[in-house]
Amino acid sequence: MKKVLKKPQASQLHPVPNEAANRLRFFTERKDAITETIRQLVEIESPSDNKAAVDQLGVLLAGRFEKIGGHAKFHRAQSYGDHLQVDFSGARSGKPVLLLGHIDTVYPMGTLSTMPCRVAEGRLWGPGALDMKSGIALILHALEGLRTWHGDTVPRPVTVLLVTDEEVGSESSRRITESLARKSEAVLVLEPSYGLKGAVKTARKGVGEYTVKVTGKSAHSGLDFDKGESAVVEMARQITAITKLVNLKRGLTLNVGVISGGTRTNVIPAQATASLDVRVTHMKDAAAIDRQLRALKPFNRKCKLEIKGAVNRPPMERGPGVAMLYKKASEIAKGLGWKLEEAAVGGGSDGNFTASLGIPTLDGLGGVGEGAHATHESIIISELPRRATLLAELIERT
Ligand SMILES: [Zn+2]
């Protein structure tokens, strides 16, 4: 056994350059303030389908960003909350870096009464804590840090976009996200990190949703069995055909998640519907699977088949822009004495839109925790300082 004379300091185990250490200390001293911001954001519920609630949080956030020198404006949305854009002009000129996130959560109004926001076991628990109110808090505090170190201004132009419909497909915000991304140097997405080690996300699958509708012909199952054309039987055969399109090796999956059909046991069903979720790893599979689904033909020629849907989030592939940003982030993390891992995940985010436009995008820069969309959703408080440091340095160096 090695003889240890003096207990090594943490800094000796992982040598940390001075400036990075100072910045980490800055955020460590503000850990409680960051936690308090997250608590405040979690305690204002913001389900995607409740415009008034989401708008209330949007207004509060606009105020917080204005307080640290940002110029806030809203993109009005009719059925969702207004999307919030905040611009910071920055000490040097050039393209901004886009910090992307969403205000909405999947939790219906009133969830706080059964799932209250609380701090326990070193974590902050509550609806949306991980996905992604901690990410929003990290943006606020990272920008505040940068302003402190750079004489009350951020070192480079920054645009923040917080949309309100990400959890329901981003139909209303997609164009805003894409147009701001096109004007930006890079996009940093504050969605939750992956796993308890806090890996960033460098690849995400593309996501699509389709509905298959079969129309047959109803008849009395006892008196006129031969006159009916069962939509349910036809649907069963279609589901088998659809399932054969799965290609796990290529990361291409189809899940028929919901089916319905028929009216009574003694009626040959005239209607059946199936809804499916499609995930693609590669861009070219999106078009191919769309073609294959649309080419489905009825097995029973007397039944009618209708197919609707699309791949609405293209995959985020690990292109050169993504790889370059990951390299930069892992160098920053290394300087802080930590190994930042990367992960490829099946879920989509708005980062899929920006990456597929060829804009360098790094996702999963938000909080570290578990239980997104679940009753045990929580973030690890001790991870907040280094996530804030990483974000601040990435904004500065990108
Ligand atoms: Zn999210």
Side-chain angles (χ1 to χ4, degrees), residues 102 131-132 166-167 191-192 373:
H102 61 88
D131 189 5
M132 57 159 278
E166 197 275 344
E167 296 291 6
E191 288 281 354
H373 299 194

Side-chain angles (χ1 to χ4, degrees), residues 208-226:
E209 227 183 279
Y210 286 84
T211 314
V212 180
K213 202 174 141 192
V214 177
T215 309
K217 194 170 171 250
S218 62
H220 191 297
S221 65
L223 301 176
D224 290 319
F225 187 85
D226 56 337

Side-chain angles (χ1 to χ4, degrees), residues 165-185:
D165 61 344
E166 197 275 344
E167 296 291 6
V168 288
S170 302
E171 184 204 348
S172 127
S173 62
R174 179 175 181 168
R175 262 199 279 165
I176 305 164
T177 301
E178 290 179 337
S179 101
L180 288 177
R182 281 196 185 94
K183 293 178 204 153
S184 302
E185 188 72 46

